[in-house]
Amino acid sequence: MGIMFRGVNPINLDAKGRMAIPARYREMIASHCSNQMVATIDTESRCLLLYPLPEWEEIQAQIEALPSFNKVARRIQRLLIGHATDLELDGNGRLLLPASLREYAGLDKKIVLLGQGRKFEIWDEAQWSATRDEYLDEVGEDTLPPEMLELSL
């Protein structure tokens, strides 16, 4: 089955930019990727993407395989791979987020770690709340992809 992250987790960043990964994920991360993670920017939203190293390596291979003569593909390669940063959970289950990534996502003290299956997203708490409310306002049958209409939730 592989790794599966889900849930919304409010977290406080400390003064050095470290975030504690919630305890319920730590064992999974330790056994799946020996605490080796990769963070990069999301090109669609002002948030960060946090992958276990093996998942990131698959994604990076796919990004590198895109045709570099295509302007959009080149842009994605530069942004995602260029910002990708190797991170390791320390003995206390914390990750140090570099200043450049924190700045991109506007991360201050209160952040949200959002489970998204094979990866996490890291949001500024206020930004996530606003984005979530926007999403809730937009959800309607006319905007859902046909595949979603077949799900019984």
Side-chain angles (χ1 to χ4, degrees):
M1 161 86 189
I3 200 147
M4 186 57 65
F5 301 125
R6 54 181 162 250
V8 177
N9 308 273
I11 293 175
N12 288 332
L13 272 182
D14 72 10
K16 294 180 179 168
R18 290 177 304 201
M19 61 178 285
I21 295 291
R24 64 191 168 126
Y25 302 120
R26 290 182 198 170
E27 195 177 308
M28 203 186 321
I29 291 169
S31 64
H32 181 69
C33 60
S34 307
N35 292 328
Q36 305 295 309
M37 306 285 284
V38 175
T40 191
I41 65 172
D42 185 336
T43 57
E44 301 294 311
S45 304
R46 285 283 173 156
C47 70
L48 303 179
L49 306 175
L50 179 64
Y51 291 90
L53 183 59
E55 274 66 24
W56 170 252
E57 286 173 338
E58 280 179 38
I59 302 279
Q60 182 168 331
Q62 291 169 22
I63 296 168
E64 286 174 351
L66 295 170
S68 57
F69 54 82
N70 176 303
K71 269 188 178 171
V72 177
R74 192 79 195 102
R75 205 173 301 150
I76 295 287
Q77 289 166 336
R78 286 179 176 142
L79 289 170
L80 289 180
I81 299 173
H83 286 91
T85 307
D86 290 280
L87 305 175
E88 185 171 3
L89 267 74
D90 68 14
N92 296 314
R94 295 175 308 192
L95 286 177
L96 174 61
L97 297 174
S100 59
L101 292 183
R102 293 197 313 267
E103 190 182 311
Y104 173 83
L107 304 180
D108 189 21
K109 178 116 178 88
K110 293 186 173 299
I111 65 171
V112 168
L113 183 69
L114 191 66
Q116 289 291 287
R118 297 172 67 201
K119 67 176 181 290
F120 290 108
E121 292 179 354
I122 304 171
W123 290 79
D124 169 72
E125 189 179 67
Q127 180 68 43
W128 166 246
S129 296
T131 303
R132 179 200 58 208
D133 291 348
E134 241 174 71
Y135 290 162
L136 290 170
D137 288 344
E138 290 169 4
V139 170
E141 281 198 19
D142 56 332
T143 57
L144 287 175
E147 298 81 2
M148 287 292 293
L149 297 175
E150 294 167 19
L151 291 180
S152 58
L153 297 174

